Amino acid sequence: TMEGPLDAVRRTTAEVAEVAERVKINRAAISSLVREGKLREDSVRSLDLSKWDETDHLDPSQDAHLDDDTRCQYLFAVDAINFCFWPDGELEYEHVAGGLKESVRRTGGTCVSSESLAKVTGPELRGWLSWPRPLPQERERARLLNELGGALNAHFGGRASEMVRRAGGSASE
């Protein structure tokens, strides 16, 4: 049978999960949280994450003029570049997501169009994020955005929302 994308994640991270010395999954603690009802879906869904959404992400009340494709491509782009903040001791997720959000607002979303993603360079990405110095793994971040933009153009008419629609709600499709 053909390996799916989630199978690949499990396979490629299994060794790290097995031999990690500093980080471990505490299955007993997870079981305890479930048993005590502290890890129920309704508990998790009731968490107030509005501050996080307001500061780091596009806000439906402020960004209603942006179409679904732009909002979806913003999320895909953030996911593509959300890794490895070391050795920059100041760079955090909020700078990546929030910086890209402001760039989307400034450009009306053209920065996350499939065409822009397919050709962005590291220094251009740094400008989108308004980051004052080279990003850790800047070339790799740009390469991943190029790959995202190219795949959207080649397979989904340039639209991330079309990819989501075709997946039919499945993360592994």
Side-chain angles (χ1 to χ4, degrees):
T1 70
M2 189 170 144
E3 180 177 72
L6 297 182
D7 296 324
V9 170
R10 288 182 192 101
R11 179 181 48 75
T12 59
T13 59
E15 181 182 355
V16 172
E18 185 65 33
V19 299
E21 292 179 14
R22 296 178 189 238
V23 177
K24 295 277 186 192
I25 295 173
N26 185 333
R27 295 187 191 286
I30 293 171
S31 294
S32 175
L33 287 170
V34 170
R35 220 178 14 264
E36 295 169 15
K38 295 179 181 173
L39 202 58
R40 293 187 331 260
E41 182 177 352
D42 60 332
S43 307
V44 174
R45 291 192 181 275
S46 70
L47 294 172
D48 181 11
L49 303 175
S50 59
K51 177 80 172 113
W52 185 68
D53 281 339
E54 289 167 8
T55 57
D56 296 340
H57 297 111
L58 294 172
D59 181 342
S61 65
Q62 292 181 31
D63 301 303
H65 63 286
L66 297 173
D67 62 20
D68 289 344
D69 288 318
T70 300
R71 286 191 293 272
C72 191
Q73 284 175 212
Y74 159 79
L75 290 171
F76 275 49
V78 168
D79 283 350
I81 61 175
N82 179 30
F83 67 91
C84 188
F85 297 105
W86 307 282
D88 193 314
E90 295 176 14
L91 182 66
E92 299 286 345
Y93 176 82
E94 65 197 54
H95 301 111
V96 171
L100 189 57
K101 172 188 75 175
E102 292 306 321
S103 187
V104 167
R105 287 177 173 168
R106 272 193 312 275
T107 66
T110 58
C111 66
V112 292
S113 71
S114 59
E115 294 82 11
S116 291
L117 294 173
K119 64 181 184 181
V120 67
T121 65
E124 287 171 326
L125 173 60
R126 187 182 334 143
W128 289 357
L129 303 182
S130 298
W131 197 245
R133 59 189 163 272
L135 296 159
Q137 297 194 31
E138 188 171 81
R139 267 189 287 177
E140 179 63 4
R141 288 179 180 357
R143 186 195 69 75
L144 291 168
L145 290 175
N146 296 162
E147 186 177 318
L148 171 61
L152 292 174
N153 284 329
H155 305 289
F156 302 101
R159 298 173 42 229
S161 61
E162 177 62 14
M163 182 180 356
V164 171
R165 186 192 68 72
R166 285 195 210 169
S170 170
S172 65
E173 293 302 315

